[in-house]
Amino acid sequence: MARQSTFTRTKKEDTAMAIMITDECINCGACEPECPNNAIYEGGANWRWADGTALSGTVTVDGGEQVGATAAQRPVSDEYYYIVSDKCTECVGFHEEPQCAAVCPVDCCVDDPDYRESQDKLLKKKEWLHQEA
């Protein structure tokens, strides 16, 4: 039987933020392999909840929507690399700082003011994504 997982995004809640890639991105791809949650995708590429995570079966996400963990989701950007905010944990639980921002040669991996989450929420998201709890 497939496991059902649930995650609810919190918008503008606390002080920490998910990371986003701005349109200054030069599409070098340096950020993509650095993400421990596989939340970074090349422009135009479909993404999946299961990519780089332990999620499987049906996943219940923001607002109660249920999707298959391996179902292809629409790209956030068709032009440049993008970060799926709901998979971004700012590397909390893995590294001291967001690795995408650390390796970006043009500093286009920045805080996303639309997705604020506390360190505790980011850690819980990491545990959910990797089914550690």
Side-chain angles (χ1 to χ4, degrees):
M1 182 178 192
R3 167 186 255 168
Q4 183 168 345
S5 300
T6 304
F7 171 70
T8 303
R9 170 181 30 199
T10 304
K11 292 184 102 173
K12 294 188 177 177
E13 176 184 289
D14 294 313
T15 56
M17 300 179 195
I19 305 295
M20 63 182 246
I21 298 174
T22 67
D23 58 6
E24 282 105 32
C25 177
I26 60 171
N27 287 316
C28 71
C31 57
E32 185 180 24
E34 300 303 320
C35 182
N37 300 314
N38 199 3
I40 302 174
Y41 295 85
E42 185 174 359
N46 291 329
W47 65 275
R48 291 165 181 74
W49 284 100
D51 294 345
T53 72
L55 297 176
S56 62
T58 302
V59 179
T60 303
V61 295
D62 194 28
E65 179 185 1
Q66 293 188 346
V67 297
T70 59
Q73 305 297 310
R74 289 184 147 162
V76 174
S77 172
D78 289 326
E79 298 175 28
Y80 49 89
Y81 278 81
Y82 64 88
I83 297 174
V84 176
S85 297
D86 289 339
K87 290 179 72 178
C88 178
T89 62
E90 294 186 52
C91 295
V92 169
F94 294 104
H95 305 286
E96 293 292 318
E97 65 181 344
Q99 296 300 287
C100 57
V103 301
C104 182
V106 292
D107 296 326
C108 67
C109 295
V110 298
D111 289 339
D112 184 343
D114 289 336
Y115 297 99
R116 296 178 185 253
E117 297 171 301
S118 68
Q119 291 290 314
D120 186 52
K121 291 231 184 230
L122 291 169
L123 188 55
K124 285 180 181 173
K125 185 193 307 185
K126 178 237 184 211
E127 291 169 354
W128 175 74
L129 288 168
H130 298 281
Q131 298 292 286
E132 297 170 345

